[in-house]
Amino acid sequence: MSSHPMAVAVVLTVALVLSRPWLEARRPIVSLVLILGFVLGTGGVRWLGPDLQAGFTPILALATGWLALLAAEAWNLSTLRRAKAGRRLGLSLLCAVAAAVVMAAVARWLGLPAPWAAGLLLAAACIAQDPEAARDALSRATLPDARARLAPSGASVSLGAALLFSSLAQVPAVGGSATTFHLAPDATSTITLGVLLGVIAVLMLRLAQGSGMLLALLAALAVTGCGVALWLDLSACALLFCAGVILANDASRRDLVFALLRQWERPALCAMLLLAGASLGVGLAPGGYFPAICLMTAGVLLARFVIFGARWREAMALPPLVLVLTLSTATRPEPAAIAMALVAGEVILLPSRRPR
Amino acid sequence: MTETVLWTGCIVLAGALGAMAARAVRLPAACGAMAGGLLTSVGVNSLGLMPQALDLLDLRAALVAFVCLLAGVEIDLTRLVKDRRSIAAAVGAQCLLVGGLVALAGLMLGYPPRISLLLAVCLMATSPTALMAVASELRASGHLTRRLLAQSGIGLLAALALMHFVFFITSPQGEIGSFLLSVVVGAVMGFVILVPLSRMSQRGAMVTGAATGALVLALVARGLGPRLEQVAAMSIIAGFIVGNFSSNRDSIRDALRDVGLPCVIALFAVAGFGLQAGELAAGLGSGLALLAARAAGLMLAGAVTPGGRAGIVQGLAQLPAAGITSGGALAAMTTMSLVAAATAVPALWEGFVVAAAASELFGMIAARWVLARAGEAPLAEQVTVR
């Protein structure tokens, strides 16, 4: 961070200056951040080049972790029962497994390395939807109120499943010779530590008085959890999501806690998207992945229509661009990169009327 | 960087726990946060776990920027104009009396004249971050709060200008220029932040805009050099512009107040962690003497200022009792960080904001009492989420 402070300051100032006309054009501010990141990043003028991005990795992990913590809100047992999210989750997983198999087969056919791990990552990408994007899309769709209310919960469920799924696989850079595929140890450690952090958080939050103090504790716990995950080379996103699930099932202060977390949702989203945009272009459709991307795009959209019976807006919540972004960022072995690419694509392609 | 994230989490967690403990005994949360940070530092040092490459300067700069931005937003121009004479008199009296007494104390303690002057300049300012800590914790936003914040903000800017002047006359290397640059950058950034914030209606978006602006200020100051006091100056000016020239300034103030306390806790926890307990203990006597001189100067300033006499003198009169029963030793130790920094002048820059904020522990206790007496802040905080 300290190597090019002025470059980052200029980038952020430009974002602030441009945000007003962007808002007046009724476009979501997060899409401006993403595009700005892309223009100034590796794919553009390279002010935010790879050397600077490396220094921002912990911030990226923290931002995605914060969003994952929020996404866990819907993983409340009573909400899940009410939303019939279990059925949706099952279908999502089914779709993901099918996508993974097809992806792996295509990758093998193309002679690419690490097909199974890449397939897993793609599967994780396929099942995820951004809850906020879903909420926004459905607000304009002619859906019954009840379904419109429940859809974001379903989206949160799928995002959570995606985070866990993606934490199962660690892939080396595409084109690398080695194929690492850690399944049980990393996932077990991540889930165990996440649950432990969640339990500690529940106990501590019961002692805290006042919303400011609660938010301070939550932030401290999130940063600590993220630091532990980075230190142990685990997925910060998945770890914080597990902690969030515990928080979501603690009835005493659930609503207050998630309302406080939501106060910093937008800064986290903006930080994530700026870095996501800056990292794009490094390995866009590397090594002949493009045919696979096209194939998978069609497959995923079809699956959404057929399996979920989705309307076009819901189906398009995972548009083709997302897959391009996903594959681009999946060349870096970070589940966080997948999540950020997902949100990035959805944000760009969704029309306006997002909350400002 | 990974290590920094982990340690930051631990420090802020310790600070939050300390703040909870302080609340339990009815002390300001920032006192507990700083004690938590200090205890973490002592514990880590005694166990030999202190990482070599731990650099919290960027984090500290960002937190100082955000908290000072919040303090600047709270300064009301209308009141400032209305009370300009009394505020100017209070700031002038405080600078003169505190500066004079501390400089005298420094000379009597055997410090060289230049160091004594710098110590005087550092201690003459009231820390807006400390007052912001109190106001944010108590959700106080009345007339007295804004007056105190305006007074402390202007006092800090005056102290910074004087500090640059002292550096200029002792080693003329363009220090005045850097202060003016801070003022200009702060004003420009204020308008840059103001433009989008005026168009926003959601609290989350406002917080994002303000946080981005604070980050830019911290980065600019970092680019100009490792000087935390420039961050503070720029951020107060930027916050002042945002808080007074925006069409929806009340909404902005409300939104930022909600996120003030966690930032204050994090700032004070990190500041506490930065204190070197060993060095502080070695100079405890000098620290207490300097602090006593400062307290005497503040009380005299309150007594001779017509506008602020009633509240401020009452509050400051509580200092001895409050100091004995609460954070007196800690405050003295904190002041000593300034003394320790002053012995190696380049480190003074870094130590200034931390020490200026930290040495306000007495003042914070007084301010809390004064605000409660003025009926601007109920001591029983309400749990509200908007």
Side-chain angles (χ1 to χ4, degrees), chain A residues 252-263:
Chain A
S252 60
R253 289 188 159 182
R254 178 174 172 273
D255 293 340
L256 178 60
V257 163
F258 282 96
L260 290 170
L261 285 173
R262 222 170 281 125
Q263 285 182 352

PDB file of all heavy atoms in Angstrom, chain A residues 252-263:
ATOM      1  N   SER A 252     -30.753 -13.951  19.902  1.00  0.00           N
ATOM      2  CA  SER A 252     -30.854 -12.826  20.826  1.00  0.00           C
ATOM      3  C   SER A 252     -30.608 -11.472  20.145  1.00  0.00           C
ATOM      4  O   SER A 252     -31.299 -10.504  20.401  1.00  0.00           O
ATOM      5  CB  SER A 252     -29.885 -13.025  21.985  1.00  0.00           C
ATOM      6  OG  SER A 252     -28.566 -13.100  21.493  1.00  0.00           O
ATOM      7  N   ARG A 253     -29.592 -11.392  19.280  1.00  0.00           N
ATOM      8  CA  ARG A 253     -29.266 -10.089  18.699  1.00  0.00           C
ATOM      9  C   ARG A 253     -29.076 -10.172  17.192  1.00  0.00           C
ATOM     10  O   ARG A 253     -28.351  -9.360  16.613  1.00  0.00           O
ATOM     11  CB  ARG A 253     -27.995  -9.547  19.335  1.00  0.00           C
ATOM     12  CG  ARG A 253     -28.192  -9.112  20.747  1.00  0.00           C
ATOM     13  CD  ARG A 253     -26.976  -8.417  21.264  1.00  0.00           C
ATOM     14  NE  ARG A 253     -27.315  -7.591  22.406  1.00  0.00           N
ATOM     15  CZ  ARG A 253     -26.437  -6.839  23.041  1.00  0.00           C
ATOM     16  NH1 ARG A 253     -25.206  -6.797  22.647  1.00  0.00           N
ATOM     17  NH2 ARG A 253     -26.806  -6.115  24.072  1.00  0.00           N
ATOM     18  N   ARG A 254     -29.700 -11.133  16.593  1.00  0.00           N
ATOM     19  CA  ARG A 254     -29.461 -11.397  15.176  1.00  0.00           C
ATOM     20  C   ARG A 254     -29.760 -10.166  14.301  1.00  0.00           C
ATOM     21  O   ARG A 254     -28.924  -9.737  13.500  1.00  0.00           O
ATOM     22  CB  ARG A 254     -30.325 -12.574  14.749  1.00  0.00           C
ATOM     23  CG  ARG A 254     -30.216 -12.939  13.310  1.00  0.00           C
ATOM     24  CD  ARG A 254     -30.984 -14.210  13.014  1.00  0.00           C
ATOM     25  NE  ARG A 254     -31.012 -14.423  11.603  1.00  0.00           N
ATOM     26  CZ  ARG A 254     -31.920 -13.914  10.789  1.00  0.00           C
ATOM     27  NH1 ARG A 254     -32.889 -13.171  11.285  1.00  0.00           N
ATOM     28  NH2 ARG A 254     -31.874 -14.148   9.496  1.00  0.00           N
ATOM     29  N   ASP A 255     -30.935  -9.607  14.484  1.00  0.00           N
ATOM     30  CA  ASP A 255     -31.340  -8.494  13.623  1.00  0.00           C
ATOM     31  C   ASP A 255     -30.422  -7.294  13.790  1.00  0.00           C
ATOM     32  O   ASP A 255     -30.023  -6.652  12.818  1.00  0.00           O
ATOM     33  CB  ASP A 255     -32.787  -8.092  13.923  1.00  0.00           C
ATOM     34  CG  ASP A 255     -33.748  -9.193  13.517  1.00  0.00           C
ATOM     35  OD1 ASP A 255     -33.342 -10.047  12.695  1.00  0.00           O
ATOM     36  OD2 ASP A 255     -34.881  -9.217  14.034  1.00  0.00           O
ATOM     37  N   LEU A 256     -30.095  -6.991  15.045  1.00  0.00           N
ATOM     38  CA  LEU A 256     -29.226  -5.844  15.319  1.00  0.00           C
ATOM     39  C   LEU A 256     -27.842  -6.057  14.711  1.00  0.00           C
ATOM     40  O   LEU A 256     -27.271  -5.156  14.070  1.00  0.00           O
ATOM     41  CB  LEU A 256     -29.124  -5.636  16.829  1.00  0.00           C
ATOM     42  CG  LEU A 256     -28.215  -4.508  17.296  1.00  0.00           C
ATOM     43  CD1 LEU A 256     -28.689  -3.177  16.753  1.00  0.00           C
ATOM     44  CD2 LEU A 256     -28.151  -4.462  18.814  1.00  0.00           C
ATOM     45  N   VAL A 257     -27.314  -7.263  14.894  1.00  0.00           N
ATOM     46  CA  VAL A 257     -25.966  -7.554  14.407  1.00  0.00           C
ATOM     47  C   VAL A 257     -25.895  -7.391  12.889  1.00  0.00           C
ATOM     48  O   VAL A 257     -24.982  -6.740  12.355  1.00  0.00           O
ATOM     49  CB  VAL A 257     -25.553  -8.985  14.827  1.00  0.00           C
ATOM     50  CG1 VAL A 257     -24.366  -9.479  14.007  1.00  0.00           C
ATOM     51  CG2 VAL A 257     -25.201  -9.010  16.307  1.00  0.00           C
ATOM     52  N   PHE A 258     -26.860  -7.944  12.186  1.00  0.00           N
ATOM     53  CA  PHE A 258     -26.786  -7.861  10.725  1.00  0.00           C
ATOM     54  C   PHE A 258     -27.127  -6.461  10.215  1.00  0.00           C
ATOM     55  O   PHE A 258     -26.634  -6.057   9.160  1.00  0.00           O
ATOM     56  CB  PHE A 258     -27.667  -8.940  10.084  1.00  0.00           C
ATOM     57  CG  PHE A 258     -26.994 -10.290  10.125  1.00  0.00           C
ATOM     58  CD1 PHE A 258     -27.266 -11.189  11.137  1.00  0.00           C
ATOM     59  CD2 PHE A 258     -26.039 -10.623   9.181  1.00  0.00           C
ATOM     60  CE1 PHE A 258     -26.615 -12.407  11.197  1.00  0.00           C
ATOM     61  CE2 PHE A 258     -25.380 -11.837   9.239  1.00  0.00           C
ATOM     62  CZ  PHE A 258     -25.674 -12.736  10.253  1.00  0.00           C
ATOM     63  N   ALA A 259     -27.933  -5.746  10.961  1.00  0.00           N
ATOM     64  CA  ALA A 259     -28.178  -4.346  10.572  1.00  0.00           C
ATOM     65  C   ALA A 259     -26.881  -3.541  10.691  1.00  0.00           C
ATOM     66  O   ALA A 259     -26.578  -2.688   9.847  1.00  0.00           O
ATOM     67  CB  ALA A 259     -29.257  -3.739  11.458  1.00  0.00           C
ATOM     68  N   LEU A 260     -26.105  -3.828  11.716  1.00  0.00           N
ATOM     69  CA  LEU A 260     -24.831  -3.127  11.889  1.00  0.00           C
ATOM     70  C   LEU A 260     -23.834  -3.534  10.814  1.00  0.00           C
ATOM     71  O   LEU A 260     -23.104  -2.702  10.276  1.00  0.00           O
ATOM     72  CB  LEU A 260     -24.257  -3.423  13.274  1.00  0.00           C
ATOM     73  CG  LEU A 260     -25.017  -2.808  14.444  1.00  0.00           C
ATOM     74  CD1 LEU A 260     -24.514  -3.360  15.765  1.00  0.00           C
ATOM     75  CD2 LEU A 260     -24.865  -1.294  14.429  1.00  0.00           C
ATOM     76  N   LEU A 261     -23.787  -4.827  10.519  1.00  0.00           N
ATOM     77  CA  LEU A 261     -22.873  -5.285   9.476  1.00  0.00           C
ATOM     78  C   LEU A 261     -23.188  -4.627   8.141  1.00  0.00           C
ATOM     79  O   LEU A 261     -22.306  -4.312   7.351  1.00  0.00           O
ATOM     80  CB  LEU A 261     -22.980  -6.807   9.317  1.00  0.00           C
ATOM     81  CG  LEU A 261     -22.323  -7.669  10.390  1.00  0.00           C
ATOM     82  CD1 LEU A 261     -22.659  -9.132  10.169  1.00  0.00           C
ATOM     83  CD2 LEU A 261     -20.812  -7.492  10.348  1.00  0.00           C
ATOM     84  N   ARG A 262     -24.476  -4.407   7.904  1.00  0.00           N
ATOM     85  CA  ARG A 262     -24.899  -3.847   6.617  1.00  0.00           C
ATOM     86  C   ARG A 262     -24.416  -2.399   6.443  1.00  0.00           C
ATOM     87  O   ARG A 262     -24.307  -1.914   5.336  1.00  0.00           O
ATOM     88  CB  ARG A 262     -26.424  -3.922   6.513  1.00  0.00           C
ATOM     89  CG  ARG A 262     -26.900  -4.374   5.136  1.00  0.00           C
ATOM     90  CD  ARG A 262     -28.365  -4.676   5.121  1.00  0.00           C
ATOM     91  NE  ARG A 262     -28.653  -5.981   5.682  1.00  0.00           N
ATOM     92  CZ  ARG A 262     -29.498  -6.202   6.682  1.00  0.00           C
ATOM     93  NH1 ARG A 262     -30.154  -5.213   7.233  1.00  0.00           N
ATOM     94  NH2 ARG A 262     -29.705  -7.417   7.131  1.00  0.00           N
ATOM     95  N   GLN A 263     -24.125  -1.714   7.557  1.00  0.00           N
ATOM     96  CA  GLN A 263     -23.644  -0.332   7.454  1.00  0.00           C
ATOM     97  C   GLN A 263     -22.346  -0.236   6.654  1.00  0.00           C
ATOM     98  O   GLN A 263     -22.057   0.767   6.030  1.00  0.00           O
ATOM     99  CB  GLN A 263     -23.409   0.256   8.841  1.00  0.00           C
ATOM    100  CG  GLN A 263     -24.686   0.624   9.563  1.00  0.00           C
ATOM    101  CD  GLN A 263     -24.407   1.248  10.921  1.00  0.00           C
ATOM    102  OE1 GLN A 263     -23.278   1.274  11.380  1.00  0.00           O
ATOM    103  NE2 GLN A 263     -25.442   1.720  11.567  1.00  0.00           N
TER     104      GLN A 263
END
